Amino acid sequence: HTPMYFFLSNLSLVDICFTSTTIPKMLVNIQTQSKVITYEGCITQMYFFILFAGLDNFILTVMAYDRFVAICHPLHYMVIMNPRLCGLLVLLSWIMSVLNSLLESLMVLHLSFCSDLEIPHFFCEFNQVLQLACSDTFLNNIIMYFTAGLLGGGSLAGILYSYSKILSSICRIPSAQGKYKAFSTCASHLSVVSLFYGTLLGVYFSSAASRSSQSSATASVMYTVVTPMLNPFIYSLRN
């Protein structure tokens, strides 16, 4: 169980950091009745938001691989998921997230904005900031969709592939008790993955369909506040 709890501790840290990029500022805004954020503050918030959202995505993918090895190759589990590989997978997740976040943020720095702007959101959401730029954002949009497709889509494909193999392996177990035991080891992770990707995809599909910034901001609360809040409950109750 050591690799699973190592990844879980990293997921917990990322969730704390993820919510800390937006919620404290939002609470201060509510308390002071001031919704002002500086340009530097907005870029900083956007950088850390993209960083920790990407990390959440990668660590959930790594955890799916961990469950795949545990169920499909149980006898080789401790050999494959050794401490060196676990550390390397987390380090790689951090490097990829930092580079992606840095690229997106630097691209925004090249854009020009008017002096007074109003972001129709409770934080500096990347897409909303791009829409307020006075200069051409074609390259920014290309990079945004390319990285979302490559990193987000690739991670989701990896998770779906892992679970297709897990399901196939569980179906071959003869006893009902054995099937339940195998499925229960990945039920928590499956719940968290469904919550994270379900709310994330729901936000972007609903905002694309309605074009309403208010509905997009309301839906964003699901993956920025509700999902990280539910993760500890899901894993604590399971344990």
Side-chain angles (χ1 to χ4, degrees), residues 10-66:
N10 277 276
L11 182 69
S12 303
L13 173 65
V14 170
D15 275 342
I16 290 167
C17 296
F18 184 50
T19 52
S20 298
T21 58
T22 55
I23 308 308
K25 176 63 179 168
M26 183 184 73
L27 294 174
V28 168
N29 290 349
I30 293 167
Q31 182 66 28
T32 60
Q33 294 296 305
S34 169
K35 298 176 182 179
V36 177
I37 187 167
T38 62
Y39 174 74
E40 293 80 9
C42 187
I43 297 294
T44 305
Q45 188 184 61
M46 194 164 57
Y47 170 80
F48 284 109
F49 181 82
I50 296 169
L51 168 65
F52 293 119
L55 263 173
D56 238 333
N57 172 54
F58 289 130
I59 289 176
L60 286 173
T61 308
V62 168
M63 289 173 80
Y65 175 70
D66 172 69

Side-chain angles (χ1 to χ4, degrees), residues 164-198:
S164 69
K165 290 291 185 183
I166 287 168
L167 195 62
S168 173
S169 184
I170 288 173
C171 288
R172 288 198 297 269
I173 298 171
S175 67
Q177 189 181 359
K179 286 179 181 177
Y180 173 76
K181 187 180 178 182
F183 180 75
S184 67
T185 62
C186 56
S188 300
H189 178 257
L190 193 57
S191 304
V192 171
V193 166
S194 303
L195 264 174
F196 182 74
Y197 285 103

